[in-house]
């Protein structure tokens, strides 16, 4: 497939992120057809050039049009972007798959894990459509929709098993203010986006209880450790979690009042019930449903995820947040592992690999892991660059 930005892109989902990403694609030169469920909202977008229900402050480019007809949305699309809630993805895809162009690249903006199956969104897409891994991509990173539509500088990751496909999507959404990187670690990028929603709920609860910045920092860093442990157990590259789709997305979601999951958690921390928090939330907080699926994934892979388990207790079992926090903090103390989980081929870390934080035997060159030292360039440092030059591939190699 050519690396030029395609002329025709379908975006299914006219919520905040689907609308914001449509603006990115349009600024990059694509002709965008945005599908929305409600005809009234579609008419408003076409008549006013803005989405009054989700992002009324944003004026969309003229090359974004909307429709409530899924067949019209998919017609002629070289890239098909899916921006619906994670738990509704499978039934909606079943309805839409007959309208998808053969060979269209399927791009997930969804950040969640399917309840019941424990499948990532790329796996759900492949299940329903029959598309191979080389035709399914994921876009994930610190991309708060309100800042994106204001065209504030941002970066993200396009992950796909096929590098050419990733480069095609990269070209389709690269602008002077939105800088996408490519990565072949689809599992790591998806898990980073899904787990950070759960940690954002925990941080929101903490902020709602006014526990302070020390607590927030502890939840952020130990939450990242949980995501990394699970990713390593599922075959992801641990270094992915140090990049935009891991740490980057975690920091943005846990620190911003624009984050739905953080806001939802803050409601719970202030003493609202689950139903009361839902009543005050107009958009989907993916972590509320996905926390149970992610906790089950951890249990199935033998990965300790105490913060995730605590969020499940608070959100779904009605446990008092202060009591849950006491239990979380009172667990048996252990060592902080520098990088839990298996070591990817060719990569050497500085510090002790393994330790009581993971309890899993790590392999490095066929040997049990031991303290090692080597200089590496974290992927996060690769993003400190100008926005306009050709975006790069995130390379996980020692310097």
């Amino acid at each position: 497939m050519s690396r030029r930005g395609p002329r025709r892109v379908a975006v299914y989902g006219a919520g905040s992120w689907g609308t914001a990403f449509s603006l990115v694609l349009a600024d990059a030169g694509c002709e965008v057809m945005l599908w929305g469920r409600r005809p009234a909202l579609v008419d408003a977008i076409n008549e006013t050039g803005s989405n009054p229900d989700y992002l009324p402050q944003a004026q969309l480019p003229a090359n974004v049009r909307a429709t409530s007809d899924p067949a019209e949305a998919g017609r002629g699309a070289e890239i098909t972007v899916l921006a619906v809630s994670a738990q509704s993805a499978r039934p909606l895809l079943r309805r839409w798959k007959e309208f998808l162009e053969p060979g269209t690249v399927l791009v997930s903006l969804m950040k969640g894990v399917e309840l019941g199956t424990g499948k990532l969104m790329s796996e759900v897409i492949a299940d329903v459509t029959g598309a191979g891994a080389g035709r399914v991509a994921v876009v994930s990173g610190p991309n708060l929709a309100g800042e994106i539509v204001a065209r504030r500088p941002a970066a993200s990751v396009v992950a796909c098993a096929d590098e050419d496909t990733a480069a095609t999507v990269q070209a389709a959404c690269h602008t002077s203010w939105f800088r996408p990187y490519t990565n072949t670690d689809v599992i790591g990028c998806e898990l980073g986006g899904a787990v950070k929603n759960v940690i954002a709920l925990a941080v929101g609860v903490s902020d709602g209880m006014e526990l302070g910045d020390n607590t927030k920092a502890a939840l952020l860093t130990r939450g990242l450790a949980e995501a990394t442990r699970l990713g390593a157990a599922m075959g992801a590259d641990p270094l992915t979690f140090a990049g935009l789709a891991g740490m980057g997305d975690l920091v943005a979601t846990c620190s911003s009042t624009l984050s739905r999951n953080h806001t939802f958690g803050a409601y719970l921390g202030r003493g609202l019930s689950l139903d009361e928090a839902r009543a005050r939330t107009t958009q989907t907080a993916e972590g509320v449903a996905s926390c149970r699926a992610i906790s089950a994934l951890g249990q199935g892979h033998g990965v300790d995820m105490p913060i995730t388990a605590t969020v499940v207790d608070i959100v779904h079992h009605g446990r008092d947040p202060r009591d849950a926090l006491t239990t979380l903090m009172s667990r048996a103390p252990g060592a902080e592992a520098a990088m839990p989980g298996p070591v990817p081929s060719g990569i050497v870390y500085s510090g002790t690999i393994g330790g009581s934080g993971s309890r899993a035997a790590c392999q490095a060159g066929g040997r049990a892991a031991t303290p090692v030292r080597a200089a590496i360039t974290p992927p996060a440092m690769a993003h400190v660059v100008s926005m306009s030059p050709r975006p790069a591939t995130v390379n996980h190699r020692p310097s």
Side-chain angles (χ1 to χ4, degrees):
M1 187 175 288
S2 170
R3 292 195 175 207
R4 68 169 174 80
R7 294 179 179 272
R8 181 78 166 78
V9 180
V11 178
Y12 285 88
S16 292
W17 189 209
T19 300
F21 198 67
S22 294
L23 182 146
V24 174
L25 291 162
D27 276 8
C30 299
E31 293 294 327
V32 181
M33 184 61 75
L34 176 63
W35 175 86
R37 178 174 51 86
R38 289 176 288 121
L41 177 60
V42 165
D43 289 344
I45 292 172
N46 287 331
E47 290 168 8
T48 68
S50 66
N51 186 327
D53 289 359
Y54 296 98
L55 295 166
Q57 76 278 22
Q59 189 68 29
L60 297 172
N63 46 331
V64 176
R65 299 294 294 168
T67 180
S68 58
D69 180 357
E72 181 184 8
R75 193 171 298 127
E78 297 177 58
I79 289 179
T80 300
V81 177
L82 302 167
V84 297
S85 66
Q87 305 310 321
S88 66
R90 188 179 293 273
L92 286 173
L93 274 170
R94 284 172 176 158
R95 287 166 44 192
W96 296 336
K97 66 178 181 179
E98 65 181 292
F99 307 126
L100 303 179
E101 291 287 348
T104 187
V105 175
L106 299 161
V107 180
S108 171
L109 303 186
M110 304 173 286
K111 296 180 178 179
V113 176
E114 189 177 45
L115 280 168
T117 67
K119 291 193 173 183
L120 303 175
M121 293 298 99
S122 63
E123 295 174 313
V124 173
I125 293 170
D127 272 359
V128 178
T129 66
R135 199 156 63 84
V136 180
V138 171
V139 174
S140 191
N143 304 140
L144 297 163
E147 294 183 6
I148 294 296
V149 295
R151 295 181 173 85
R152 295 177 183 172
S156 197
V157 177
V158 178
C160 183
D162 185 281
E163 292 182 352
D164 287 339
T165 300
T168 296
V169 178
Q170 179 186 51
C173 62
H174 180 215
T175 74
S176 62
W177 53 272
F178 189 84
R179 184 174 176 83
Y181 291 80
T182 61
N183 196 329
T184 56
D185 183 13
V186 177
I187 293 174
C189 289
E190 285 198 274
L191 279 178
V195 177
K196 63 91 185 180
N197 285 331
V198 179
I199 305 307
L201 285 170
V203 172
V205 170
S206 169
D207 285 347
M209 295 167 65
E210 300 182 349
L211 296 181
D213 291 335
N214 288 340
T215 306
K216 180 184 293 186
L219 289 169
L220 277 165
T221 51
R222 297 313 301 166
L224 182 64
E226 290 191 15
T228 306
R229 285 199 296 266
L230 180 59
M234 293 178 64
D237 183 344
L239 282 181
T240 296
F241 297 91
L244 289 166
M247 175 60 82
D249 203 0
L250 183 68
V251 169
T253 305
C254 292
S255 304
S256 176
T257 56
L258 297 175
S259 163
R260 309 170 205 174
N261 291 280
H262 178 276
T263 299
F264 196 100
Y267 288 146
L268 298 177
R270 292 174 193 145
L272 272 66
S273 68
L274 180 62
D275 288 340
E276 289 170 333
R278 279 180 169 149
R280 294 197 184 191
T281 306
T282 58
Q283 301 179 53
T284 302
E286 291 284 10
V288 173
S290 289
C291 64
R292 290 182 292 171
I294 292 168
S295 182
L297 269 181
Q299 292 171 18
H301 286 87
V303 176
D304 187 27
M305 303 185 72
I307 298 175
T308 301
T310 299
V311 169
V312 172
D313 279 348
I314 294 171
V315 173
H316 294 288
H317 302 151
R319 191 170 185 185
D320 179 81
R322 292 191 181 276
D323 176 56
L325 177 64
T326 298
T327 300
L328 181 66
M329 297 296 291
S330 300
R331 292 174 304 117
E336 182 183 40
M339 181 58 68
V343 180
S345 176
I347 295 200
V348 188
Y349 301 100
S350 176
T352 301
I353 300 176
S356 62
S358 67
R359 299 292 182 187
C362 298
Q363 295 294 318
R367 301 186 305 261
T370 56
V372 292
R373 293 181 60 81
I376 71 167
T377 301
M381 296 304 295
H383 309 310
V384 188
V385 293
S386 63
M387 302 299 289
S388 296
R390 182 177 175 275
T393 297
V394 178
N395 291 315
H396 298 154
R397 297 176 185 148
S399 60

